[in-house]
Amino acid sequence: MSPLEPAQASVPGADERPGVAVVGGGFMATVHSRAARAARARLVGLASSTPERAADAAARLGFDRAYASLDELLADDAVDVVHVTTPNALHAAQAEAALAAGKHVVCEKPLATAPDDAARLAALVAPGGAAAGRTATVPFVYRFHPVVREARARVRSGEAGTVLTWHGSYLQDWLLTSADDDWRVDPATGGRSRAFADIGSHLVDLLEFVTGDRVRRVAATKRTFFSERARHAAVSTEDAVAVTLETEGGAVGTLLVSQVAPGRKNRLHLEIAGTGESLAFDQEQPETLWVGRRAGTLLVPRDADQLAPDAARLVTTPAGHPQGYQDAFDGFVADTYAAVRGADPEGLPRFADGLRAARVTEAVMDAAETGTWIDVSGEKR
């Protein structure tokens, strides 16, 4: 891949609507385009795997035009921000090309399928990098549920006390049978890890975001229950993985990640136990935060009047009018565009966080394959 050449990034003014283009035309392109529309962006155009698919997706999602190629998209001066929503193996090259063209970038996770590629991208946008000053984010969107920010505020204020243990799970059932298949199954398009890279990385990101602690080392076991699927004769990526983790602060915890859990559609659950209180978040029930105490356990509602300021700012509807996944995504994209305009929103996941996820994923896979504890590499924040 050629080195990134310096290019001048466009910076919309405070009252100017950013011009947005999306690469990809599937489910995540739909989610990104809805969030961009909610943030009052201009939906300039879309590119996909073929010009025909681009035209179909652009019309379906309400973009002004379709591009015949990524190069044509990147050459359009009307585009300020590029959202990369393609299969995992394409992320690194497409994100780097967008940065080289002077665009700000939102890149779906994983940022790259190899930690070295993620490290190169993070270095490009770090201070002193060729793309320094450009906004480059990764959608760890569960950070943007208001009650997640409330949990973080309780840890930071000391209400939760010293974190001792935690446990989490992320369970889905969309690959429950051998007849179920997807491009993510193939490591050539999805990468070395499937279940953990796709959904388990969210759990670790939330743990580190809420507690401010860092995973130090991991032990893991993984299973591929279906060695063949409808379109893949030999499957090597994991259907499920169980992980034990130790943090730099001395806490210990476990997580279970599965894409073969009947009845679980998108159930992310995280519970953190401190010396003062426990905090539990369920992504499928995001209107409340469970706060456990020896006496006086309570449910904190998603009510701006009862939440910490950084949580309350993400409340977009009155309590009793539920917010959900798309609302969290909308908050992430709105904060990304605020950063494009020069703001520094609290808790915005950037390429450095994408690199962190790539390193944790690599450690989990290495631990599962060697049967040993593996240290998580990388610098502290």
Side-chain angles (χ1 to χ4, degrees):
M1 190 176 297
S2 61
L4 182 139
E5 297 294 332
Q8 184 65 42
S10 58
V11 180
D15 297 324
E16 187 178 345
R17 298 167 61 196
V20 168
V22 168
V23 189
F27 168 68
M28 291 315 303
T30 301
V31 173
H32 281 250
S33 65
R34 288 171 178 165
R37 187 177 293 107
R40 298 186 62 254
R42 293 177 292 112
L43 303 187
V44 177
L46 182 146
S48 191
S49 55
T50 67
E52 293 75 20
R53 288 184 177 182
D56 176 74
R60 174 168 42 86
L61 300 178
F63 284 83
D64 292 342
R65 60 166 297 185
Y67 299 101
S69 66
L70 175 63
D71 288 342
E72 185 179 16
L73 181 157
L74 297 179
D76 190 346
D77 291 337
V79 175
D80 302 306
V81 185
V82 175
H83 291 242
V84 177
T85 71
T86 49
N88 300 350
L90 302 176
H91 290 180
Q94 292 176 340
E96 186 167 358
L99 291 171
K103 313 300 186 184
H104 306 278
V105 178
V106 179
C107 183
E108 262 301 330
K109 39 155 274 299
L111 178 59
T113 55
D116 287 349
D117 291 337
R120 185 179 69 255
L121 289 168
L124 288 173
V125 295
R134 262 159 254 171
T135 297
T137 62
V138 179
F140 287 112
V141 297
Y142 299 123
R143 294 184 180 196
F144 290 82
H145 282 289
V147 299
V148 167
R149 298 295 177 110
E150 175 65 17
R152 184 174 188 243
R154 285 173 174 269
V155 173
R156 297 179 84 180
S157 71
E159 288 180 85
T162 301
V163 175
L164 303 175
T165 64
W166 71 281
H167 67 274
S169 61
Y170 202 150
L171 308 177
Q172 300 176 333
D173 70 357
W174 68 289
L175 289 171
L176 179 60
T177 75
S178 60
D180 300 315
D181 210 341
D182 186 76
W183 59 259
R184 292 171 178 83
V185 167
D186 187 347
T189 50
R192 177 187 183 190
S193 172
R194 179 183 8 120
F196 192 87
D198 189 28
I199 57 178
S201 56
H202 278 294
L203 273 173
V204 176
D205 179 76
L206 271 193
L207 169 71
E208 295 190 340
F209 179 68
V210 170
T211 66
D213 201 357
R214 302 269 280 181
V215 172
R216 183 173 69 86
R217 63 176 191 154
V218 300
T221 299
K222 65 185 177 77
R223 293 287 185 273
T224 302
F225 297 111
F226 300 103
S227 59
E228 297 181 4
R229 288 185 177 272
R231 297 186 303 277
H232 293 90
V235 177
S236 61
T237 53
E238 77 280 7
D239 293 313
V241 58
V243 189
T244 302
L245 307 97
E246 295 180 358
T247 72
E248 292 174 353
V252 295
T254 61
L255 65 85
L256 176 65
V257 175
S258 174
Q259 293 176 324
V260 290
R264 294 300 190 185
K265 303 306 177 185
N266 197 48
R267 206 260 187 168
L268 179 152
H269 180 269
L270 177 65
E271 182 169 329
I272 298 163
T275 53
E277 58 189 24
S278 295
L279 304 166
F281 169 69
D282 183 345
Q283 194 277 147
E284 290 188 341
Q285 303 293 331
E287 288 293 282
T288 56
L289 176 72
W290 183 83
V291 179
R293 297 170 179 161
R294 176 172 286 184
T297 293
L298 69 151
L299 284 176
V300 177
R302 183 200 51 79
D303 182 352
D305 293 337
Q306 302 181 56
L307 300 179
D310 188 45
R313 77 176 181 88
L314 295 171
V315 172
T316 58
T317 61
H321 301 74
Q323 289 182 215
Y325 172 78
Q326 185 67 57
D327 299 289
F329 216 106
D330 293 353
F332 158 73
V333 168
D335 273 8
T336 294
Y337 295 169
V340 167
R341 297 185 182 97
D344 186 20
E346 176 68 23
L348 182 63
R350 299 178 184 264
F351 273 18
D353 300 289
L355 169 59
R356 174 66 179 170
R359 286 176 168 158
V360 172
T361 299
E362 187 84 350
V364 168
M365 292 297 103
D366 287 348
E369 292 174 6
T370 62
T372 62
W373 284 90
I374 298 291
D375 291 336
V376 179
S377 63
E379 298 297 321
K380 297 180 182 179
R381 284 194 182 101

